[in-house]
Amino acid sequence: DPRGALRARLAEASFPMLSANLIEKSTGRAPSWGNLHPSTLVEVGGVKLGIVGVITRETPQIVMPAHFAGLDVTPLAPAIVREAAALRRRGARAVVALTHAGGVCSRHDDPKSASACNADEELNQVARALPAGTVDAMIGGHTHQGVAHYFSGTAVAEAFALGRAFSRIDLILF
């Protein structure tokens, strides 16, 4: 079973594994693996926080074909929109998107200006594609580059790799 180890790690995890855009080709639905969820609702400091997880559209090209056979990755933005709305209906006061999708920005001195960011990078494209207010923040990964900018009014961060830096986004809720 090429996905046996993955399913075993999912079962062992004491937290939910998230992917709102991984589907089985045969059904068009998420795999029914234990502990794999599109999103989760947690309480932090008395505030309900929704967290949506998505994976890069590059996944089919970067995962061994035998391990990804029968699976597909749907576009990130619609999956985030769907799950963010569901989380808000469940009482989330804020929603954060955790993405295994990255961006690239050459400078970080002006977070309000995305002119130093590569508009073609997946994280930047997804952030721009989301309707205003869909999520309160996005955290990226995958490219191992730095992002600390606002895209379409949403705070977006990616913290390089290997502990070289960290990202911090403060959400102020009224």
Side-chain angles (χ1 to χ4, degrees):
D1 176 8
R3 290 192 277 269
L6 174 60
R7 284 200 291 273
R9 298 304 76 78
L10 286 164
E12 291 172 353
S14 61
F15 51 87
M17 298 283 191
L18 305 177
S19 181
N21 65 327
L22 177 66
I23 62 165
E24 292 179 326
K25 286 182 181 179
S26 63
T27 65
R29 293 186 169 170
S32 58
W33 304 336
N35 203 27
L36 178 65
H37 308 276
S39 61
T40 191
L41 187 65
V42 297
E43 193 166 317
V44 180
V47 174
K48 288 185 179 180
L49 175 68
I51 305 170
V52 179
V54 290
I55 58 176
T56 179
R57 292 286 297 201
E58 294 178 11
T59 302
Q61 289 79 44
I62 61 175
V63 172
M64 290 179 57
H67 294 180
F68 207 73
L71 300 173
D72 203 2
V73 177
T74 64
L76 284 68
I80 293 170
V81 168
R82 180 187 69 241
E83 288 303 315
L87 288 163
R88 292 200 192 273
R89 284 191 301 272
R90 291 175 52 203
R93 290 213 29 228
V95 176
V96 175
L98 301 180
T99 73
H100 189 147
V104 175
C105 298
S106 59
R107 289 189 346 266
H108 305 95
D109 56 334
D110 184 2
K112 299 280 184 176
S113 172
S115 63
C117 300
N118 182 340
D120 293 333
E121 293 295 325
E122 188 173 29
L123 179 64
N124 308 356
Q125 289 178 344
V126 171
R128 285 187 177 100
L130 295 176
T134 299
V135 297
D136 299 282
M138 290 182 69
I139 307 296
H142 184 58
T143 57
H144 302 188
Q145 299 295 312
V147 177
H149 293 78
Y150 288 89
F151 295 101
S152 302
T154 300
V156 180
E158 182 177 355
F160 295 100
L162 304 173
R164 188 170 132 203
F166 72 93
S167 294
R168 175 180 165 171
I169 297 174
D170 293 328
L171 297 177
I172 300 171
L173 304 174
F174 297 98

